[in-house]
Amino acid sequence: MTSQKMTLAEIHRAVSAALQASNTSVGNAESVATALVAAEAAGHVGHGLHRLADYRAQAANGKVDGYALPSIAQSAPGALIVDAGHGFAYPALDVGLDELPAIAASQGIAMLGIRRSHHCGALGCSVERLADAGFIAMMMSNSPAAMAPWGGSRRLLGNNPMAFAVPLADGPPVVVDLSLSTVARGRVLAAKQQGEAIPEGWALDQAGNPTTDAGEALAGTMLPLGGPKGGALALIVEFLAAGLTGANFASEASSFTDPDGHPPGVGQLMIAISPSAFGGDAVLGRFAELAAMVAGDGDAYLPGRRRQASREAAMRDGIDVDAEVFDQIATISLRD
């Protein structure tokens, strides 16, 4: 068996049950399962089901607190702070996203900062939730050290993903989701798990040499997207997602994949903007005009459309779950 077709509902039940069997509360397991299934359905495989084994191991060992209850405080009219309590990031995001839209609608703009957090998966899925509710959204997260500053040799920066989404008047949101390394580290992790080589130009090994070996890449240094520009953007994320929120810097954070050690304690920052506060009802129409111009320019790519098409297909047809992941959840009952 190389893969097994499963519906999204079947996968969700199995992932939630597997997490509950690994020192995680029902509510937190449901939140994590929702996020992993959403990432997998959207084609973000590096942030999808391949993360389950690492999450389970870390929860079982106590590196992530599967029973953590995020706490939230409004520190200013437009500012929310969530303490994830060294638990999974997704329940903390859920708590913040329950309150952020109302504040953004009232204030015109609102920010959510999360501290003592963990791997937050596909940021595009989170910003799309806000865009679906009619808000412009930006999100960033720092992550364990994986890149040296441009011109440096020490791993001081994570691949520090960023995402952006805007609602349109006549269609699904435009969603930009990118890591600030040449590719997301999750894609290298997925390549290692599948025994595949990676393209040259993604990473360097520990000796600073280009490598196509995923294991050597994970032990070495990811290369920044766009050279010095990507390195500078990663530094900005470090200041905002970690320095501003009171989270660990990349160099202080432990691995998202190793089950041992102290909690990563990273941070996330999300910004929600109400279009009506700046330009009224015309804003979404103007956004749609620009999106149409991009989509109508030959083979130009409108960010988010491929992921949305992947999600629609997954909802309709299910997902082919590879053998390694299926074996992890095969003992879990998939019956209602």
Side-chain angles (χ1 to χ4, degrees):
M1 181 184 68
T2 58
S3 66
Q4 175 72 40
K5 179 76 75 175
M6 298 176 68
T7 68
L8 299 188
E10 287 174 336
I11 298 169
H12 179 99
R13 288 195 297 271
V15 170
S16 179
L19 287 163
Q20 290 174 53
S22 300
N23 208 26
T24 301
S25 71
V26 174
N28 287 346
E30 286 288 295
S31 176
V32 174
T34 296
L36 293 186
V37 172
E40 191 78 19
H44 292 282
V45 294
H47 297 306
L49 300 181
H50 284 284
R51 294 282 176 170
L52 178 60
D54 292 331
Y55 285 5
R56 292 186 67 190
Q58 291 183 51
N61 283 7
K63 184 175 182 178
V64 59
D65 183 354
Y67 289 88
L69 294 174
S71 61
I72 188 167
Q74 188 170 352
S75 56
L80 290 170
I81 291 288
V82 175
D83 186 337
H86 292 310
F88 289 107
Y90 308 111
L93 277 166
D94 289 342
V95 166
L97 286 173
D98 282 345
E99 298 194 21
L100 189 65
I103 297 174
S106 173
Q107 300 292 326
I109 184 170
M111 296 175 62
L112 167 67
I114 303 176
R115 62 169 65 106
R116 297 207 302 168
S117 192
H118 195 264
H119 177 255
C120 65
L123 275 64
C125 295
S126 294
V127 294
E128 191 167 8
R129 287 169 63 179
L130 282 171
D132 284 338
F135 296 92
I136 304 163
M138 295 182 66
M139 183 178 177
M140 60 192 73
S141 177
N142 79 318
S143 54
M147 295 193 304
W150 188 256
S153 59
R154 294 174 57 201
R155 291 197 300 181
L156 294 176
L157 304 173
N159 64 359
N160 292 7
M162 304 176 70
F164 172 80
V166 295
L168 305 181
D170 59 356
V174 173
V175 183
V176 178
D177 186 348
L178 68 158
S179 69
L180 296 178
S181 53
T182 302
V183 297
R185 203 162 186 263
R187 291 183 63 184
V188 181
L189 177 64
K192 180 184 178 184
Q193 292 174 332
Q194 295 166 13
E196 297 176 352
I198 61 172
E200 189 169 319
W202 281 15
L204 306 177
D205 64 18
Q206 288 180 293
N209 300 312
T211 183
T212 59
D213 184 281
E216 292 182 359
L218 291 171
T221 302
M222 299 295 293
L223 288 170
L225 177 71
K229 295 179 181 179
L233 286 172
L235 182 60
I236 290 172
V237 172
E238 203 70 41
F239 278 124
L240 293 177
L244 181 64
T245 64
N248 282 342
F249 289 127
S251 60
E252 300 167 326
S254 63
S255 170
F256 284 154
T257 59
D258 190 332
D260 300 316
H262 62 81
V266 296
Q268 287 93 33
L269 185 75
M270 181 173 282
I271 303 169
I273 302 170
S274 171
S276 62
F278 290 86
D281 295 337
V283 172
L284 301 191
R286 288 289 286 163
F287 287 167
E289 287 179 27
L290 179 57
M293 285 189 283
V294 173
D297 186 13
D299 295 326
Y301 167 61
L302 192 62
R305 291 294 180 263
R306 293 175 188 170
R307 304 299 190 189
Q308 289 154 353
S310 175
R311 181 172 61 227
E312 290 177 5
M315 293 173 65
R316 181 183 64 247
D317 304 326
I319 293 175
D320 288 317
V321 179
D322 75 35
E324 180 182 358
V325 175
F326 182 81
D327 287 345
Q328 294 179 40
I329 59 179
T331 58
I332 307 299
S333 173
L334 302 181
R335 293 174 297 175
D336 290 321

